[in-house]
Amino acid sequence: MAGPRNETFTSRVSMTTPQISLLLLFALMLVLFIWGRIRHDVVAFGGLMLAVMAGLVPIGQAFDGLSHTATITVALMLILSRALMTSGATNSISDWVSRRTGTISSHVGALAGVTAAMSTVMNNVGALALTLPVAIRTAKNAGRSPSLLLMPISFAALLGGLVTLIGTPPNIIAASYREQAMGEPFHLLDYTWVGLPLAVVGVTFLALVGWRFLPQRARPAAGTEDFLDIGDYVTEVRCGARNKLIGQTIGDVANQFRELDVAILGLLRDGRRVPNVPRRFLVRPDDVLIVEVSPAALPRLLEHFDLEIEGQKGGAAMSLLSNDDVRLAEVVVTHGSDLDGCSDTRERLAHQFNVNLLAVARQGARVRDRIDRVVVRAGDVLLLQGEEQRLGEVMRLLGFLPLAGRELDVGKRKKSMALPTIALFVSAILLSGLGILPLEIALGSAVFLMVVAGIIPTREIYDAVEWPVILLLACMIPIGDALETTGLATMFAQLIIGIARDNGPMISLVILFFMTMLLTDVINNAATVVIMAPVAIAVAQAQEANVDTFIMAVAIGASCAFLTPIGHQNNTLVMGPGGYNFGDYWRMGLPLQVVLVLIGIPLLLWMWPIHG
C-alpha cells in the first residue's frame, strides 16, 4: 500500500496555473484576515472578485453563495435568535444564576452551563449577549471580578454550538458539503452524539479547572463601583472661560489630576492637537484636555474641577448622573456593527440618535487620539449618555452589547410573546428533526409566522441578520468550490496523506483536525469550514475512509477557537470588559483544546467509524 500512495503523492506535486493562482489568493486573504485592519467580509468580497477575474470562479456562479442553502439557513437562525432574545423567553436566567454564586466554580459552572445550553439552539453571539450582562451583574453582587467569568462564557457559547446542526454556522455549512458529497446533509441531532459529551466535558473543565488558568493580573478584586473594571477610559474635558485652572501650567494641572488618578494625554487648542504638550504650557479658556480616567473617577473629576465633557449636549456636567431622564450606558462594539471601523462615531451618535459619546476604552492599547478621530474597533467599550429609550435603540440598531444590567432592553417585548416564540421555534425544530420539512423551510416558516403574529417587527428582521457574516459566507462558498474545480483540494488531501504515510486514515484525521483548529483561531470559523471541508472530503475519498468522520472533524475543529481573541466574535467581545490581553486566551484555551482532542477523536471514531 505504501508504494501506490507515495506515487500518487509524488504525481500531485506539480501544480497547474489555476492551482497556483488560487493558492496565492488564499495566502493573500489569510494574511488580510490575520491583519484585521480590513473587515473579513470586505476581504472575502475582494477575494471573490479576484477569483472571478482570474477565471477561478465562473462569472455565472460568482453570486451562487447568496442563494446557497447554508447562507439562507444561517440568516434565518440569526433572526430566530433575535426573537428568542427579545421575547422575554430567557428572562429567568439572572435569577437562576444568582442563586448559584456561592463559589467561583459554581458561579462559572452556572453561567457557562446556561450559555452553552442556549447556544445549542441559537447563534453563539446571541447566547453571549444574553449572559454577558448577567455575568457582570452577578460578579458585582458576589464581589468578584467579571474577568473570572467572561472568557469562560465566551468559550461555553462555542462549546454549546457543537451540540446541534443549528448551534453554529460551521455545522450548517459542513452539512451542506456532506450533501454535495453524499447526497444527503447531516440532520439536526447528528452532531449531538459527539457534540454533547464534548460540551459537557468542556463546561465542567471551565468550571472546575479552566478559570484557574487566568493570569492573576486579569482578575483583580472587584470593587464597589457602578462601572466595570475594564481599564481606564480616554475622554476629553473642556475648561470653561472662568475655570479655576485657567492660567495654570499643564504640569501643575497634571499634579492636581494625579490625586484623582487621572492622567493628561494631550491638549486640544483652537480645534488642533498640540503634539507633546510641554508641562510649562499655560491653560487657556476653552482648552480641551485629553485625559485617561477610570469610570469611577470621571464624575469626581468633572465636579471637583468644574469641567465639561467635550461634545456633550447642554446641561451641567453632573447632570450625567442626576437627571432622571438621562442614563449612562457602557456598551461593547460587536463585529459587523455599523460603527466598527468608523472614526466619526461621536458625530453620528449625536446627529442620528441624540446620544453622546463620552469616552472610549480599549484593552491592549492606549487610545491617544481625540475622540472625534478614534477609529472604533470591535471589542471597544463606549461610555454613552442619553435618554433610556434612545440608548436602547442605539444598542439594537448598531449592534452593541450592554455591560450593565438589562434595564436597557435591546428591544422590549410583552411577556405574552415569550410562549408563542418558544412554541414556533420548537415546532420548526421538530418539523426538521422528524424529516417532515427541510431545515431552511421549517425555519423560514417560523420566521414568517412570527412576523404575522407581531413577534418580530418587519424592520427588525433585517436588523437581526449579521450581514457581514452573510456576505462573508456568500463570497467564500464560490471560492471554496474552486478548491475542488481546480484540484487544489485533492492536492492538499494528498499532502496530508503523504505526511501520514503508512499510518493510514487515522493519522490523516488527526492532522486534519489540528489544521482546522489552528486555522479557526485566526480566521472566521465559517470561512474555515469552507476551506477545510473540500479537503476533508478529498482525504476521505482518497483513502476510502468514511467521509462523515472527516467532515464532522472539520465541523468540530472549526468551533474550537480558543487560542486567540480574533478567532471568534465572542472572544473579541469579552476582551475589553474582561481586561484580557491577546496572550491570555491560550492560557485557558490550550488546555481546553487538549482535553477536547483527547476526548473528541475517540468519540468521532465511535460514532462515525473511520471505515463505517
Side-chain angles (χ1 to χ4, degrees):
M1 293 295 292
R5 187 175 302 152
N6 290 332
E7 288 175 9
T8 303
F9 172 68
T10 304
S11 66
R12 294 289 182 179
V13 171
S14 59
M15 297 177 64
T16 65
T17 300
Q19 289 175 344
I20 295 173
S21 300
L22 186 59
L23 187 61
L24 291 174
L25 176 61
F26 271 118
L28 174 62
M29 294 175 66
L30 182 60
V31 169
L32 292 176
F33 281 145
I34 296 174
W35 187 40
R37 296 296 179 88
I38 305 176
R39 284 179 21 165
H40 286 188
D41 53 320
V42 176
V43 173
F45 186 77
L48 176 60
M49 294 299 99
L50 287 175
V52 172
M53 289 186 286
L56 303 173
V57 174
I59 294 177
Q61 300 175 17
F63 299 107
D64 285 358
L66 289 171
S67 60
H68 197 278
T69 301
T71 306
I72 301 300
T73 305
V74 169
L76 292 171
M77 273 307 305
L78 292 171
I79 296 171
L80 291 173
S81 293
R82 172 66 68 89
L84 289 172
M85 289 173 60
T86 59
S87 66
T90 55
N91 284 346
S92 60
I93 296 174
S94 180
D95 293 337
W96 188 86
V97 172
S98 297
R99 295 193 295 269
R100 290 160 176 81
T101 59
T103 65
I104 297 177
S105 289
S106 64
H107 198 172
V108 173
L111 277 167
V114 167
T115 306
M118 290 192 299
S119 189
T120 63
V121 293
M122 66 187 301
N123 178 260
N124 296 156
V125 179
L128 178 67
L130 287 170
T131 54
L132 180 63
V134 176
I136 291 167
R137 184 165 59 251
T138 55
K140 177 183 175 182
N141 294 339
R144 299 188 181 107
S145 169
S147 303
L148 288 168
L149 309 172
L150 299 191
M151 192 184 296
I153 65 173
S154 173
F155 289 179
L158 302 182
L159 290 169
L162 296 171
V163 179
T164 65
L165 172 65
I166 61 175
T168 184
N171 292 357
I172 298 171
I173 301 167
S176 70
Y177 276 98
R178 202 262 188 183
E179 184 176 20
Q180 293 178 17
M182 309 290 289
E184 186 178 1
F186 287 125
H187 298 294
L188 181 67
L189 299 180
D190 284 347
Y191 292 87
T192 306
W193 303 103
V194 176
L196 182 59
L198 287 178
V200 171
V201 170
V203 168
T204 303
F205 173 85
L206 293 173
L208 299 180
V209 181
W211 62 268
R212 303 175 192 273
F213 288 96
L214 292 172
Q216 293 291 327
R217 58 177 170 77
R219 45 188 176 97
T224 59
E225 298 85 4
D226 292 332
F227 296 88
L228 299 175
D229 186 8
I230 60 173
D232 289 342
Y233 281 111
V234 172
T235 189
E236 300 167 1
V237 292
R238 177 179 293 275
C239 298
R242 299 181 179 180
N243 192 283
K244 62 182 179 181
L245 298 179
I246 302 299
Q248 298 187 37
T249 66
I250 291 293
D252 290 339
V253 174
N255 292 334
Q256 298 176 58
F257 281 10
R258 192 176 296 116
E259 296 179 2
L260 296 178
D261 292 326
V262 177
I264 297 177
L265 303 181
L267 172 67
L268 302 175
R269 178 168 291 171
D270 298 327
R272 297 181 179 181
R273 178 163 181 166
V274 179
N276 301 319
V277 53
R279 291 177 61 88
R280 67 177 183 276
F281 262 41
L282 298 179
V283 177
R284 298 179 182 175
D286 292 325
D287 275 354
V288 176
L289 300 174
I290 302 176
V291 298
E292 188 176 56
V293 55
S294 69
L298 179 57
R300 296 199 299 269
L301 174 71
L302 299 177
E303 182 178 26
H304 186 73
F305 293 100
D306 192 24
L307 299 169
E308 298 177 356
I309 295 287
E310 172 68 357
Q312 180 191 347
K313 289 190 171 185
M318 290 312 294
S319 68
L320 293 173
L321 304 179
S322 61
N323 193 323
D324 292 337
D325 298 325
V326 174
R327 296 287 185 272
L328 293 179
E330 288 182 300
V331 298
V332 187
V333 180
T334 63
H335 275 288
S337 168
D338 287 348
L339 297 184
D340 186 4
C342 292
S343 59
D344 58 346
T345 303
R346 170 177 278 173
E347 183 178 357
R348 291 183 62 181
L349 288 172
H351 283 83
Q352 294 182 22
F353 301 98
N354 198 30
V355 167
N356 295 318
L357 172 62
L358 303 184
V360 179
R362 175 175 298 159
Q363 185 61 28
R366 173 176 281 183
V367 178
R368 289 189 174 275
D369 211 342
R370 64 173 305 174
I371 302 299
D372 288 336
R373 297 177 182 175
V374 171
V375 177
V376 174
R377 303 174 187 170
D380 285 353
V381 181
L382 309 182
L383 180 61
L384 305 179
Q385 175 219 11
E387 296 178 355
E388 183 172 345
Q389 183 178 358
R390 292 286 188 180
L391 291 173
E393 184 180 3
V394 165
M395 284 186 274
R396 178 175 61 82
L397 295 179
L398 298 184
F400 296 157
L401 294 186
L403 294 187
R406 299 296 290 182
E407 293 85 358
L408 297 172
D409 212 355
V410 190
K412 297 180 179 178
R413 295 286 183 273
K414 296 179 181 179
K415 293 183 178 180
S416 59
M417 290 293 100
L419 188 58
T421 303
I422 295 173
L424 287 172
F425 184 79
V426 171
S427 298
I429 299 303
L430 289 176
L431 288 172
S432 173
L434 296 174
I436 299 174
L437 288 175
L439 179 61
E440 64 273 15
I441 302 300
L443 297 179
S445 300
V447 169
F448 173 75
L449 292 174
M450 287 182 184
V451 172
V452 172
I455 297 174
I456 310 178
T458 306
R459 181 183 64 178
E460 289 196 17
I461 293 178
Y462 302 99
D463 294 337
V465 177
E466 295 178 40
W467 294 108
V469 174
I470 298 302
L471 181 60
L472 170 71
L473 185 53
C475 293
M476 289 301 298
I477 285 175
I479 299 176
D481 291 342
L483 280 169
E484 298 182 74
T485 57
T486 62
L488 194 59
T490 303
M491 191 198 75
F492 284 149
Q494 295 300 332
L495 179 61
I496 293 174
I497 293 170
I499 296 173
R501 296 196 181 277
D502 301 328
N503 295 305
M506 174 65 182
I507 300 301
S508 298
L509 179 70
V510 174
I511 293 173
L512 186 78
F513 195 25
F514 273 104
M515 287 178 61
T516 306
M517 293 175 74
L518 291 176
L519 189 60
T520 199
D521 279 312
V522 294
I523 70 172
N524 180 276
N525 55 7
T528 298
V529 175
V530 172
I531 294 171
M532 296 303 298
V535 178
I537 294 170
V539 171
Q541 291 175 342
Q543 295 189 303
E544 298 182 352
N546 188 355
V547 172
D548 289 342
T549 313
F550 284 77
I551 297 180
M552 192 64 69
V554 167
I556 293 172
S559 291
C560 295
F562 303 127
L563 300 184
T564 70
I566 63 174
H568 192 275
Q569 293 167 285
N570 284 10
N571 295 351
T572 305
L573 292 176
V574 301
M575 188 177 186
Y580 306 121
N581 291 325
F582 195 99
D584 292 338
Y585 287 79
W586 68 267
R587 294 173 182 268
M588 187 168 69
L590 184 60
L592 177 60
Q593 281 197 346
V594 170
V595 170
L596 295 179
V597 168
L598 293 177
I599 297 175
I601 295 294
L603 280 173
L604 271 173
L605 297 175
W606 169 70
M607 184 59 199
W608 309 97
I610 206 162
H611 291 294

